[in-house]
Amino acid sequence: MFNNILKFPTLTPEFKLNINQPTAIYDISTHLRSIMQEASIDKQDLIILCIGTDRSTGDALGPLTGTKLRSFNPYPHVYGTLDNPVHASNLHDNIQSIQRNFDNPFIIAVDACLGRLESVGCVSLGRGSLKPGAAVNKDLPAVGNAYVTGIVNVSGFMEHLVLQSTRLSLVMKMADTIAHAFSYGLRTYLR
């Protein structure tokens, strides 16, 4: 089903697809544009908050995505890169900084997550906040008006070790896919 304004598909509560599908970048971008349109209609500042640390392969999805997005598209409101990651120790401070610097921010949070074996390599998008660190039992604040998560490995046992032993090639492919999708979505959003 399409909305009538710009012919973007109506976003289901959560959209999920594997990054190895040939149309993954296009499909993710289309859904991101639908989310971004919501921020545009309400005249909100769009913030892309990429959460994670460069000290754990599995948890580096956010900072890798932020770094790649900055290199593809110099959109100024990207938080969380390899040089300046947003992680458990500074998440609260970054959220406060965003709230201070923007009157009405619309935050799209990007983070890695663990899931079922058949979902590894999938990206999920949806409206609402995400709870960073939930897989490793960290008590962090929920963040975002919308989210993009990449399922990087299997959950269920010794999550810290699982994140440490996640394949870098998968995380890099996911970061490329998400960053390209954001870049294409931002081109439409910024027009």
Side-chain angles (χ1 to χ4, degrees):
M1 178 175 206
F2 288 85
N3 70 28
N4 293 334
I5 298 172
L6 296 174
K7 301 294 184 214
F8 293 134
T10 303
L11 193 63
T12 56
E14 182 173 83
F15 172 76
K16 180 175 166 183
L17 90 151
N18 192 295
I19 61 161
N20 293 316
Q21 292 183 354
T23 60
I25 292 173
Y26 173 78
D27 293 340
I28 294 168
S29 176
T30 300
H31 283 78
L32 280 171
R33 284 192 307 256
S34 179
I35 290 171
M36 291 176 192
Q37 179 189 13
E38 187 176 309
S40 169
I41 289 170
D42 294 336
K43 303 213 182 330
Q44 292 177 281
D45 292 311
L46 180 66
I47 311 298
I48 301 168
L49 180 63
C50 301
I51 303 165
T53 179
D54 60 339
R55 296 177 184 232
S56 169
T57 308
D59 202 29
L61 178 65
L64 280 168
T65 301
T67 298
K68 288 174 180 290
L69 179 55
R70 282 257 173 103
S71 72
F72 298 154
N73 187 320
Y75 185 70
H77 305 312
V78 176
Y79 288 74
T81 62
L82 289 172
D83 289 331
N84 295 301
V86 174
H87 47 68
S89 300
N90 66 13
L91 177 63
H92 190 266
D93 293 338
N94 276 283
I95 293 170
Q96 286 183 330
S97 174
I98 291 168
Q99 297 296 340
R100 267 193 318 273
N101 293 317
F102 299 95
D103 290 330
N104 191 16
F106 186 95
I107 300 171
I108 301 177
V110 180
D111 198 7
C113 68
L114 301 174
R116 296 168 34 166
L117 179 61
E118 60 272 14
S119 295
V120 172
C122 289
V123 171
S124 297
L125 294 87
R127 288 188 173 85
S129 60
L130 65 80
K131 189 94 165 101
V136 289
N137 299 317
K138 291 194 177 185
D139 186 26
L140 299 173
V143 64
N145 302 84
Y147 62 87
V148 177
T149 57
I151 303 167
V152 297
N153 214 328
V154 180
S155 66
F157 183 67
M158 297 177 62
E159 278 79 4
H160 282 287
L161 184 59
V162 168
L163 282 171
Q164 292 289 346
S165 63
T166 296
R167 300 266 332 245
L168 180 59
S169 65
L170 173 64
V171 177
M172 292 293 286
K173 285 178 193 172
M174 293 185 99
D176 277 336
T177 301
I178 296 167
H180 275 99
F182 263 113
S183 183
Y184 295 143
L186 283 169
R187 288 180 193 157
T188 303
Y189 171 76
L190 295 173
R191 285 187 191 157

